[in-house]
Amino acid sequence: MSGETASSGTAPDTWTVAGRTFRSRLIVGTGKYADYAQNAAAAEAAGAEIVTVALRRVNLSDTSKPMLADFVKPERFTYLPNTAGCYTGEDAVRTLRLAREAGGWDLVKLEVLSETPHLLPDMEETLRALKMLVADGFQVMVYCSDDPVYARKLEDAGAAAIMPAAAPIGSGRGIQNALNLGLILEQSRVPVLVDAGVGTASDAVIAMEMGCDAVLMNTAIAEAKDPIRMADAMKHAVIAGRQAFLAGRMAERRYGDPSSPLAGRI
């Protein structure tokens, strides 16, 4: 992904989480694709540097079957292990401890879901798990609800990044509560990433125009009719949204304002 700034066009526009610096502001998942080859092609088309890895749902160790690492190369992408499928703090902590033992990963994504059709996070369990993980030396990017109060609690407890859901996981409905997301952006001192609910490129643009540091998505790309083309579209959407944010949009007006000056007309 391009890392140009809006002004000079030369200095890289990077972002940093837990001491690691990245140019790409688009993070993609490793689930729901037809196969690992398609997943790898989409990640490349997206210009991603980070891929999330659902430890309970991808093959990282069974050499008798296709393995994620054979296609989405660890030397090319930063793996971000996540706790998808965990419903208690203990399950999440156990999963990430196993990940650290297996791959040495300490930068991780925490998600503790509620056992409901909407799959929104259980914030009480999420906060409890975060405290255990931070005490155990993990750098934790936290999937959360778009609640500014809980977002502050997570940050105060040591979260490396706040990742509010735009809408329920896999819903494709885009940002449903711009007010709350704006409040989280205003108060946060760590990176804020929209995570979950993105459906199409315009959703990614809006998130970046609001000032998000990055966007994470999986289903929006994997379930598109053409995942590779959608990944490319998302790459450009994130770039465009970021450039618009840096440029600073024009003021909104109640009435029209002519593009050409009124004075000096023939």
Side-chain angles (χ1 to χ4, degrees):
M1 177 179 291
S2 171
E4 296 91 357
T5 63
S7 54
S8 67
T10 56
D13 173 36
T14 60
W15 68 288
T16 300
V17 57
R20 297 164 173 86
T21 299
F22 301 95
R23 290 171 63 103
S24 173
R25 294 175 181 270
L26 176 57
I27 301 173
V28 299
T30 52
K32 298 188 176 182
Y33 289 92
D35 50 41
Y36 288 145
Q38 185 187 66
N39 195 161
E44 290 288 353
E49 293 175 295
I50 305 174
V51 295
T52 61
V53 179
L55 296 164
R56 292 186 164 195
R57 295 173 181 167
V58 301
N59 180 26
L60 293 173
S61 58
D62 186 352
T63 57
S64 67
K65 299 176 182 178
M67 295 176 60
L68 177 68
D70 292 335
F71 297 87
V72 182
K73 305 286 188 180
E75 59 270 23
R76 162 69 178 84
F77 298 96
T78 295
Y79 277 21
L80 182 67
N82 72 43
T83 57
C86 291
Y87 295 93
T88 68
E90 283 74 16
D91 280 350
V93 171
R94 185 182 310 112
T95 298
L96 291 176
R97 284 174 176 165
L98 290 172
R100 183 166 60 185
E101 290 178 13
W105 297 297
D106 64 348
L107 178 62
V108 296
K109 176 190 168 185
L110 172 66
E111 59 180 79
V112 184
L113 302 179
S114 58
E115 296 192 68
T116 56
H118 52 63
L119 294 179
L120 291 172
D122 181 329
M123 291 310 304
E124 183 177 0
E125 285 294 289
T126 298
L127 180 58
R128 193 166 66 87
L130 170 64
K131 291 177 179 178
M132 289 189 281
L133 289 166
V134 169
D136 204 16
F138 286 93
Q139 301 284 344
V140 191
M141 302 171 67
V142 187
Y143 170 64
C144 59
S145 62
D146 58 359
D147 179 347
V149 176
Y150 254 114
R152 173 55 60 85
K153 289 182 178 182
L154 294 171
E155 185 172 341
D156 289 345
I162 305 298
M163 306 172 76
I169 293 172
S171 67
R173 300 186 66 89
I175 295 171
Q176 295 296 294
N177 195 334
L179 174 60
N180 276 18
L181 178 57
L183 292 173
I184 292 171
L185 286 163
E186 182 180 287
Q187 74 184 16
S188 297
R189 302 176 300 274
V190 298
V192 176
L193 297 78
V194 157
D195 178 7
V198 170
T200 191
S202 57
D203 299 329
V205 170
I206 292 169
M208 296 307 297
E209 286 180 342
M210 290 183 67
C212 290
D213 292 277
V215 177
L216 191 156
M217 65 184 72
N218 185 69
T219 308
I221 296 175
E223 290 192 357
K225 293 180 180 178
D226 185 339
I228 312 307
R229 187 182 292 271
M230 183 60 81
D232 184 61
M234 291 298 188
K235 174 179 72 175
H236 291 289
V238 169
I239 292 171
R242 176 63 180 174
Q243 291 289 71
F245 171 75
L246 292 174
R249 65 158 291 147
M250 62 167 284
E252 295 184 21
R253 301 184 177 94
R254 185 174 180 85
Y255 301 105
D257 186 54
S259 298
S260 301
L262 295 176
R265 290 181 298 177
I266 297 175

